Amino acid sequence: MTEAQKPIRRVLTAVDGNGRSFVAKDGPANSRTPAMGSGRRYTDLWIWEKAPLSLSDPADGSDLTYVFPGPAGGGHVRVVQANRPAPDLDLKKDAEFIAPHDPKVVMPSGRMWDRGGNNAFTSPMHKTQTVDYGILLAGERILVLDDGDLRMRPGDVVIQVGAFHAWASPRLSGLMAFDMIGAEFVDGAAGLGQGGDLPLGVPPGWTPPPGVEPVRRIVTIDRKPGVSSVVSDGPAPDIRLDPARPGFASTRLWVTDRTPARIVFETLQLPHTIEPPKNGSVMRVINVPPDKGWQGKVGETEVKAWFAAMGSPGASTWSANARHPYMQKTKSFDFCFVLSGEVVLVLDDSEVTLTAGDTVVNRGGNHAWSNRSDAPARVYVASHDAA
């Protein structure tokens, strides 16, 4: 069932000559022609050739072209719209059906391996030389691995650490964001997991903090050549709360500490900071409660305590005259996806209201998240080092 491509709103920020942040663009991002099957569409938000990303380059990174899976020393962010097939369609008789086959290189980049099994609505079983942050924004998608299938629902996140996988949408269409970062395979095309860090999870009997919805984190990797497996699947364990803002939570999901990224089993043991590591990235989710629950009760002491607890005291740009107490600024590109609720992106010289499905590319600008509604909002943020 072919559906029209949904436009993806992208807000792009910039910093003026006085160092003040503002909205540079606000409108539909660049949609592309069908990719790997006519039943799917994709929209580019940003492409970069190397790390760190440049804060001084005024060019719009979505205008660049790339060969999948993106630059080896950089990466790309896009949103994929995967349509469901008609209920009576025999996918094995689909004109685009390709039978399963032995792994082979299928892209000029030489960094993607394909095992077939695809059709217009299902991707091939494939592996890319990347570490991917995958966020299901709407609908449903089935993550196909060699050790089983996982049904993903809105808000679920998968960290694909160079693993073989496929995507299917047999029941519902899906809208999914991908931040794909160039990775290093130290053992050639095998790209197996390295190191002895064990996956972290919540302890037995764990319950989420009051007012905070847990985030499902799936981590996948290849432990044996050509065989993908689940490393972990459950609530993300690294949750930071702000006592001054009941219901606010920052949940860290993954860190890359270099580019090309390492193929490892866990990264949450790395130091906790808001800023990404040098030439690296950090993926997190923030739950933003209504401002009315804390407004008038928070001052400089509480704000500085929060940023210190996050390992980033220098990120705060507190000012009694600022638009928002929690204004912050880091040398990073922040790729942001609003999953639910309504939230206001507060900048130095402007504000913009965002709702579910909207995206933001924040290029090192001073900013804060404000919730002026009566319900919580959830924002997914992938921050990349910039200079």
Side-chain angles (χ1 to χ4, degrees):
M1 180 181 297
T2 301
E3 299 176 17
Q5 186 163 7
K6 298 178 176 64
I8 304 297
R9 180 191 181 193
R10 186 197 65 162
V11 175
L12 176 62
T13 75
V15 177
D16 66 20
N18 296 317
R20 296 181 63 80
S21 56
F22 67 98
V23 173
K25 292 183 180 180
D26 183 353
N30 289 340
S31 58
R32 302 292 191 186
T33 54
M36 294 187 293
S38 61
R40 279 157 285 160
R41 302 289 188 273
Y42 68 104
T43 301
D44 284 329
L45 299 184
W46 207 263
I47 302 149
W48 63 99
E49 296 288 342
K50 61 182 181 180
L53 285 81
S54 174
L55 292 173
S56 59
D57 186 351
D60 188 331
S62 67
D63 292 333
L64 300 178
T65 58
Y66 63 96
V67 176
F68 193 80
H76 74 281
V77 176
R78 67 179 184 174
V79 176
V80 175
Q81 177 182 324
N83 298 327
R84 68 178 180 89
D88 57 349
L89 178 64
D90 184 345
L91 294 178
K92 291 189 176 180
K93 295 181 180 180
D94 179 77
E96 297 178 41
F97 173 74
I98 296 177
H101 54 70
D102 291 336
K104 62 181 181 181
V105 176
V106 294
M107 287 288 177
S109 66
R111 298 172 50 247
M112 175 177 170
W113 296 263
D114 182 324
R115 285 166 34 193
N118 52 301
N119 52 62
F121 299 93
T122 302
S123 77
M125 197 70 171
H126 65 287
K127 176 186 181 79
T128 57
Q129 197 169 341
T130 59
V131 170
D132 307 341
Y133 303 148
I135 310 154
L136 188 61
L137 302 175
E140 179 182 273
R141 292 198 88 182
I142 305 299
L143 172 59
V144 181
L145 302 169
D146 287 298
D147 66 354
D149 299 351
L150 297 175
R151 188 180 304 277
M152 293 184 64
R153 296 176 175 84
D156 291 350
V157 174
V158 59
I159 314 296
Q160 292 276 16
V161 194
F164 264 109
H165 64 284
W167 291 106
S169 301
R171 301 192 319 165
L172 300 172
S173 298
L175 196 66
M176 195 160 186
F178 290 94
D179 182 345
M180 301 184 66
I181 305 162
E184 179 186 25
F185 287 2
V186 300
D187 50 3
L192 302 183
Q194 306 293 317
D197 291 309
L198 298 176
L200 301 179
V202 299
W206 176 87
T207 57
V212 176
E213 184 179 351
V215 181
R216 182 189 183 193
R217 183 187 73 144
I218 304 166
V219 180
T220 70
I221 210 164
D222 287 2
R223 290 188 172 95
K224 300 178 181 179
V227 180
S228 55
S229 61
V230 176
V231 173
S232 60
D233 180 3
D238 191 357
I239 303 174
R240 304 295 173 105
L241 306 177
D242 183 0
R245 288 180 291 176
F248 187 95
S250 174
T251 304
R252 190 172 62 146
L253 302 178
W254 197 260
V255 181
T256 60
D257 61 0
R258 52 172 287 182
T259 304
R262 305 175 196 269
I263 303 300
V264 294
F265 295 90
E266 183 60 277
T267 63
L268 295 184
Q269 77 282 358
L270 295 173
H272 192 292
T273 59
I274 293 174
E275 303 95 337
K278 183 179 180 180
N279 295 333
S281 69
V282 59
M283 174 67 189
R284 63 169 41 89
V285 182
I286 56 174
N287 289 354
V288 187
D291 292 355
K292 63 181 66 176
W294 57 266
Q295 273 182 333
K297 306 173 185 178
V298 172
E300 183 176 8
T301 299
E302 290 80 9
V303 170
K304 289 189 173 181
W306 163 250
F307 283 97
M310 291 291 287
S312 299
S316 174
T317 58
W318 159 267
S319 168
N321 298 319
R323 287 173 175 263
H324 193 282
Y326 286 87
M327 296 293 283
Q328 68 178 57
K329 186 174 184 178
T330 57
K331 286 188 175 181
S332 64
F333 263 65
D334 304 329
F335 301 106
C336 313
F337 307 88
V338 181
L339 178 80
S340 60
E342 180 180 290
V343 67
V344 177
L345 175 64
V346 181
L347 302 173
D348 286 322
D349 288 341
S350 55
E351 298 181 350
V352 58
T353 300
L354 305 161
T355 57
D358 291 342
T359 67
V360 175
V361 179
N362 181 40
R363 294 184 287 184
N366 196 31
H367 70 284
W369 299 100
S370 176
N371 184 344
R372 298 162 190 174
S373 74
D374 295 324
R378 178 178 278 193
V379 183
Y380 289 63
V381 183
S383 296
H384 290 256
D385 186 34

